[in-house]
Amino acid sequence: FRIRHRHVLEADLASLTGSMTHQRSGPLEGEEHVEYMDTQFSAGHIQRTYRFYFIRPENGNPYKTQWVTDLQFVKDERDRCFALLKKKEERREKDAMRHARANSPKPSPRLKPLPDPTGMILTCSRRLGPG
C-alpha cells in the first residue's frame, strides 16, 4: 500500500486522536516520583495529567501508573508502592536471618557444658577454663 498524499493520512490520524497536542511534561515540582503532562485539546482547553514513575533499583525496570487527572490518587499510589517495597525488604532481611540461623553449625548434644561448682566449665572429660 502506497501513500500518495501524506497530508491526508496525517489529517486522518489527527481526527482519530481527537486533535490533541502535547504541550509540556516533566517532573512535578515538590513531589518526588510524580510526572505531569499538559495536553491541549482542539477546543482549546488544556488538561493536566499525572502519573507515578519509579525505576526499580534491583532490576532497572520502571514502575509507572497510567496518566490520570487526580493528583491525590497518584500520591496515594506512590505511598502504597513504597510501603510495599519497604515490607518486601523487611521480609528479605528476616528470611536471610532465618536462613543464616538454619545453616549455622549446631553444637553437639554430647558437648553440652556441665555446671561445675569451682567455676570451671566441663565438657566431656576436659577442662576448658574459667567461664
Side-chain angles (χ1 to χ4, degrees), residues 35-100:
E35 296 180 327
Y36 78 94
M37 179 173 61
D38 291 338
T39 306
Q40 184 172 11
F41 290 88
S42 59
H45 74 278
I46 296 175
Q47 180 182 30
R48 179 166 278 194
T49 53
Y50 307 94
R51 77 173 174 180
F52 166 62
Y53 189 86
F54 177 68
I55 303 293
R56 295 176 183 166
E58 66 269 7
N59 56 18
N61 293 336
Y63 175 80
K64 54 189 173 184
T65 60
Q66 293 182 343
W67 292 100
V68 294
T69 56
D70 187 3
L71 178 59
Q72 189 59 47
F73 172 81
V74 174
K75 289 179 182 179
D76 293 343
E77 186 69 16
R78 174 191 61 193
D79 296 342
R80 186 184 70 79
C81 179
F82 285 135
L84 287 173
L85 288 174
K86 184 178 177 185
K87 286 181 182 179
K88 186 177 182 180
E89 184 61 31
E90 289 170 357
R91 277 194 309 271
R92 267 194 203 134
E93 290 173 2
K94 189 176 178 180
D95 287 346
M97 287 174 44
R98 186 180 302 139
H99 182 70

Side-chain angles (χ1 to χ4, degrees), residues 3-23:
I3 300 173
R4 292 188 181 161
H5 304 287
R6 183 176 288 294
H7 67 281
V8 173
L9 180 61
E10 289 172 359
D12 288 342
L13 287 174
S15 67
L16 291 174
T17 60
S19 298
M20 297 186 306
T21 59
H22 172 75
Q23 296 296 312

